[in-house]
Amino acid sequence: MSSLGKPQSLSEKLSAAKKLIELSKNEDKTTTKAANPLVEALSMLENLQENIQRASLFSVNESLTDIQTSSLPLLAVEYHMAKAYLQLRSTSSIQRNINVQKALELFNLFLHRCDTFDGILEEEIKIQYSSILSFNDGRNDDDESSFQPLPPQSRDDKIARYRRSKELQSKIARMNAQLSQRKRLDLAEHEELDGLDQDSLLRSLHLCQLNEWSLDCFQELFASSMELQMLQMAVKIEKERAQMDHHRGTRTDFGTDGESCRNGEIRMRPPASNPDQKMKLTQVTQDLTTGQLVFKRQEIRSGIFRPSWNQPTMSLEELGEKEVREAIEREARQKESELNAKNTARRYEFLVKDGLEDNADLVDQSAKLDRDWDDWKDENPRGSGNKLGDRG
């Protein structure tokens, strides 16, 4: 019932269920199942599904043009149910396995219903759905242990599906903006804006949403198929563990009072080990002279678990201050070395290059260096070291 006491339409019930699903994404994980919006949303969607089937809203004898624009979103009831089942929190692998299986069935039912009416799904989406159908037809559904996940997706298929999904989302956003513009302009339903009246615009919007949800279905089918394979292994392990506990008469779960009750039996929780008690080991060696084995018990000290690498000796702030201090010291040393190099005696031609020809002290020191250089050149004329030319 609506807030005014009037019965809700099917579309309004679907919108209310979708709001509950969105609300559950922001709910605290400690929320109890009774207060979980997903449970209420699933109940509303199941009731909505029954009403659609009872009214024969989507008949296989009808075409897409026979479906009213306001009824197109109702084709996605199973899609929203599947998304809700995947979001449900489970306390065991068995329950999660049931939820994932229901979600897979609902995803396939949604895709089958969209594929039934020609013109809803794009051609590329129909090809991908046909490949999934052909793979499912080749599986043996009678043997649960023979479950096989869907074949892995190729990288090109993932990229193409992602790009098309983004294009559809952008197109949906533009159409929603056009609807908001029509509302601001207070246009009548038959009046056109950008060549479309309100019914044509809504119909295109719903078809784009169905295609975008179909692409999301493929992603969920592949992911859930892989998850279901791991869940079946976990369920098998849980059943074997429960069977072993049943034969042993013990359980691994205990109540808050420290006791476990099963089939009328009361068993106490095993005593916890003393955390202060040191671990002990026995070292076995062999006497080199006699050849006898020597057993030596040792206590493991607390230092045995000390990391083998060096531990930090300062904080990040201290390290930063040290780096800055060392950088300042390096800069001072560099300036000092540059100044010392600048005042070092060198030949006059280098003083001219450095612009220090007016420094009398450096000029006097360079005079001696220039004389020594001239004397060395006189003693060692150019080419005096080449001896190969003197050979006859």
Side-chain angles (χ1 to χ4, degrees):
M1 299 291 288
S2 63
S3 58
L4 299 177
K6 298 180 181 179
Q8 287 182 320
S9 63
L10 298 180
S11 299
E12 291 174 344
K13 291 180 180 179
L14 178 60
S15 299
K18 290 168 61 176
K19 289 180 180 179
L20 288 174
I21 296 175
E22 290 296 325
L23 179 63
S24 66
K25 297 180 181 179
N26 302 323
E27 283 289 322
D28 187 6
K29 291 185 178 181
T30 59
T31 305
T32 60
K33 186 176 181 180
N36 192 347
L38 284 175
V39 178
E40 184 178 356
L42 281 171
S43 177
M44 295 175 62
L45 290 172
E46 290 173 357
N47 186 23
L48 186 59
Q49 189 183 35
E50 293 176 359
N51 293 336
I52 292 174
Q53 294 176 354
R54 190 180 303 113
S56 299
L57 197 59
F58 305 112
S59 175
V60 294
N61 298 323
E62 297 179 347
S63 62
L64 178 60
T65 56
D66 297 327
I67 302 177
Q68 297 181 0
T69 302
S70 59
S71 299
L72 286 175
L74 299 176
L75 287 167
V77 170
E78 286 79 12
Y79 167 79
H80 298 298
M81 290 178 65
K83 297 289 284 187
Y85 271 114
L86 289 180
Q87 294 180 31
L88 272 179
R89 292 185 292 273
S90 307
T91 57
S92 65
S93 300
I94 298 176
Q95 185 60 42
R96 178 62 181 174
N97 182 57
I98 295 174
N99 292 341
V100 174
Q101 285 184 346
K102 289 182 179 178
L104 287 174
E105 294 175 0
L106 291 168
F107 280 134
N108 282 288
L109 182 59
F110 165 69
L111 290 172
H112 173 71
R113 180 166 291 177
C114 292
D115 187 58
T116 302
F117 298 97
D118 191 22
I120 293 182
L121 297 181
E122 298 176 352
E123 189 63 30
E124 185 62 28
I125 298 178
K126 296 185 70 172
I127 293 175
Q128 296 183 33
Y129 178 58
S130 299
S131 63
I132 293 178
L133 282 180
S134 60
F135 178 81
N136 290 334
D137 292 340
R139 293 192 305 188
N140 183 13
D141 297 334
D142 297 333
D143 187 7
E144 295 182 356
S145 61
S146 64
F147 171 79
Q148 296 178 354
L150 292 174
Q153 312 173 72
S154 66
R155 184 173 181 271
D156 294 337
D157 290 342
K158 290 182 180 179
I159 295 175
R161 192 180 302 124
Y162 174 79
R163 289 178 177 174
R164 185 52 188 160
S165 178
K166 287 298 181 182
E167 292 174 359
L168 288 173
Q169 291 175 6
S170 300
K171 194 173 181 181
I172 291 171
R174 289 195 301 269
M175 292 181 181
N176 284 323
Q178 291 178 355
L179 287 174
S180 300
Q181 185 179 8
R182 291 184 62 90
K183 187 175 181 180
R184 289 194 305 269
L185 298 176
D186 196 18
L187 297 179
E189 294 183 359
H190 65 277
E191 292 182 296
E192 294 185 357
L193 179 65
D194 296 335
L196 295 174
D197 58 8
Q198 184 168 343
D199 185 76
S200 300
L201 182 59
L202 283 174
R203 196 171 189 85
S204 300
L205 173 63
H206 295 327
L207 292 177
C208 285
Q209 286 178 334
L210 290 174
N211 280 275
E212 199 271 328
W213 289 335
S214 299
L215 291 175
D216 184 60
C217 267
F218 293 137
Q219 185 66 26
E220 295 290 357
L221 282 174
F222 283 103
S224 300
S225 178
M226 295 296 296
E227 182 185 2
L228 190 61
Q229 186 183 28
M230 294 183 291
L231 283 172
Q232 289 189 347
M233 296 174 60
V235 169
K236 183 179 179 181
I237 293 174
E238 286 187 6
K239 290 181 177 179
E240 291 178 353
R241 183 182 302 157
Q243 188 176 7
M244 292 175 61
D245 292 342
H246 175 71
H247 290 301
R248 288 200 303 259
T250 59
R251 292 187 64 184
T252 57
D253 54 328
F254 296 89
T256 56
D257 56 351
E259 297 181 354
S260 172
C261 301
R262 184 176 183 179
N263 298 331
E265 297 181 359
I266 300 178
R267 297 184 179 272
M268 300 300 295
R269 183 191 297 269
S273 59
N274 185 8
D276 297 331
Q277 185 178 2
K278 296 180 180 180
M279 295 178 61
K280 295 183 179 181
L281 61 85
T282 302
Q283 183 180 7
V284 182
T285 58
Q286 188 176 16
D287 194 334
L288 298 178
T289 57
T290 62
Q292 295 181 352
L293 296 178
V294 180
F295 298 89
K296 183 179 179 182
R297 301 190 64 181
Q298 295 179 349
E299 290 185 353
I300 299 180
R301 305 296 179 182
S302 59
I304 195 172
F305 299 108
R306 184 178 303 164
S308 59
W309 58 89
N310 294 331
Q311 298 297 295
T313 58
M314 63 180 67
S315 62
L316 291 177
E317 292 78 5
E318 294 173 343
L319 178 61
E321 294 175 357
K322 179 182 177 182
E323 293 288 343
V324 171
R325 186 170 58 253
E326 292 178 352
I328 294 174
E329 293 176 357
R330 286 195 301 270
E331 184 179 3
R333 289 195 301 269
Q334 183 178 359
K335 289 181 179 179
E336 184 179 358
S337 62
E338 291 177 355
L339 182 61
N340 293 334
K342 187 177 182 181
N343 295 326
T344 302
R346 48 196 179 276
R347 287 169 28 216
Y348 184 77
E349 60 177 322
F350 295 115
L351 291 178
V352 175
K353 290 181 180 180
D354 297 336
L356 298 175
E357 66 273 12
D358 296 332
N359 192 324
D361 295 335
L362 293 178
V363 171
D364 293 340
Q365 296 176 11
S366 66
K368 182 178 183 304
L369 293 175
D370 290 338
R371 285 194 300 271
D372 295 341
W373 176 246
D374 292 338
D375 294 341
W376 187 88
K377 288 194 295 183
D378 293 340
E379 296 174 357
N380 301 277
R382 182 183 297 273
S384 60
N386 299 329
K387 302 299 182 180
L388 291 177
D390 298 337
R391 296 181 180 182

